[in-house]
Structures are given as C-alpha cells and as structure tokens.
C-alpha cells in the first residue's frame, strides 16, 4: 500500500477495539485514536448509567470521528468506533470516503467474559445484548474485513494486519478465458 488506509476498528463492546487498534496502528506505522475519547460527556454519563445510546446521541460522536478520519486520509490512521449499524458506517464514510472497516467478531460468551474482567470502563456488561441486537455486519459492498477475537492481542492484531494488507505472495488471479 502506498498510502496506509484509515481503518475503523469496529465491533460490539468487549471485542478488544481499544487493545487491538493501537497494535494494528503500530504495525501499519500510523496514528491511533481512541473512539471513546470523541464521546461528549453526556454520552458517557448515559452509558455509565446503563442506558444505551440512541441514534441522536451517536450523531455528534460519529461526526467527530469522521472528521478525524478525513484529516488522516493522506497519511492513514486507525480509530476505534463500534460502528454497529450500516447507517453509522455510511455517516463515517460521508466524512471520510476511503475508510476501511476492521470488524472484530467473536462468541458472545467470550466477549461477556472479557467485559466482566475489564477495570474502569464505563460500558457495563448488561448493555452487551443491546450491542448484539444493534449490530449489522459489514455488507459485501463495504470495504473491510472480519477478524475473530480468539487468541492473544498480538495474534489478533497480526491476523488483522494480514487481512488488511494482503500478502504479496498471494496467488495472482487466473486470467479470463
């Protein structure tokens, strides 16, 4: 890749966006931004109280992330953002058209277990069901990859980078007859 992509690390709470994002950014040689830092204080208070955000709550957050991504288009970057709905990803792409999504996926039991062991995060485990209910996986027309979250953070990040940056040793496509 001549210019690294701007990658949105997406997925439900507890998939490791905040852990995997910086590892992927380091391997790509780009800046990482924590998506939670773009939330207005009212959103954090709402989630901390166990209340899911609605689309109106998310709009200014998504716009702020989109502006950050747009500003990184010429040099790449990685930002974490749940981006659970297609409409959220469309809103991000409206600000930064070349975005690539890295969807971290995993078994609900594994993710719930990981959430239960987190310290100091505002997202309570009881909101996990609402996250899965909201999730709309990447469509075939969306630029991105899915990576399973089993394994160590380093293993997950390595799989992610490999998926984002296909190996030069991949077989060439067969010529058309």
């Amino acid at each position: 890749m001549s210019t690294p992509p701007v990658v949105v690390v997406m997925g439900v709470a507890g998939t490791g966006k905040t852990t995997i994002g910086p590892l992927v950014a380091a391997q790509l040689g780009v800046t990482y931004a924590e998506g939670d830092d773009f939330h207005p204080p009212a959103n954090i208070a709402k989630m901390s109280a166990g209340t899911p955000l609605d689309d109106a709550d998310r709009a200014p957050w998504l716009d702020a992330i989109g502006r950050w991504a747009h500003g990184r288009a010429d040099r790449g970057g990685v930002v974490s953002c749940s981006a659970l709905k297609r409409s959220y990803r469309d809103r991000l792409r409206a600000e930064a058209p070349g975005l690539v999504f890295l969807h971290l996926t995993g078994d609900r039991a594994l993710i719930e277990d990981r959430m239960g062991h987190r310290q100091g995060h505002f997202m309570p485990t009881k909101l996990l069901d609402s996250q899965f209910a909201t999730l709309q996986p990447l469509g075939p027309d969306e630029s991105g990859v899915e990576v399973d979250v089993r394994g160590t953070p380093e293993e997950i990040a390595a799989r992610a980078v490999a998926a984002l940056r296909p190996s030069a040793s991949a077989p060439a496509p067969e010529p058309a007859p």
Side-chain angles (χ1 to χ4, degrees):
M1 291 182 280
S2 57
T3 300
V6 178
V7 177
V8 175
V9 182
M10 64 169 281
V12 300
T15 54
K17 297 180 294 290
T18 300
T19 301
I20 304 306
L23 295 172
V24 169
Q27 289 186 37
L28 294 176
V30 298
T31 298
Y32 171 74
E34 169 54 57
D36 287 341
D37 293 343
F38 293 87
H39 274 297
N43 283 8
I44 293 173
K46 194 171 183 178
M47 288 184 286
S48 295
T51 305
L53 300 179
D54 59 28
D55 288 355
D57 296 323
R58 286 187 182 93
W61 174 63
L62 292 167
D63 292 344
I65 292 171
R67 285 189 299 275
W68 181 90
H70 176 79
R72 303 292 312 171
D74 63 339
R75 57 192 179 271
V78 175
V79 61
S80 57
C81 173
S82 55
L84 298 177
K85 287 185 180 179
R86 170 71 185 245
S87 63
Y88 304 161
R89 297 188 297 273
D90 289 344
R91 189 172 189 124
L92 291 168
R93 279 190 293 266
E95 288 283 339
L99 289 178
V100 176
F101 292 88
L102 167 57
H103 182 185
L104 298 178
T105 64
D107 175 77
R108 189 194 184 291
L110 172 65
I111 294 168
E112 183 175 24
D113 180 63
R114 288 182 179 175
M115 284 183 77
H117 290 93
R118 293 197 300 193
Q119 299 293 319
H121 196 278
F122 59 81
M123 178 68 83
T125 304
K126 72 180 187 176
L127 290 182
L128 188 56
D129 286 335
S130 73
Q131 293 261 302
F132 273 106
T134 302
L135 177 63
Q136 296 171 343
L138 290 172
D141 62 328
E142 292 185 271
S143 180
V145 297
E146 289 187 2
V147 174
D148 187 87
V149 297
R150 285 177 288 173
T152 67
E154 293 76 18
E155 291 167 342
I156 299 163
R159 286 195 309 271
V161 170
L164 290 166
R165 183 175 23 195
S167 169
S169 63
E174 301 254 344

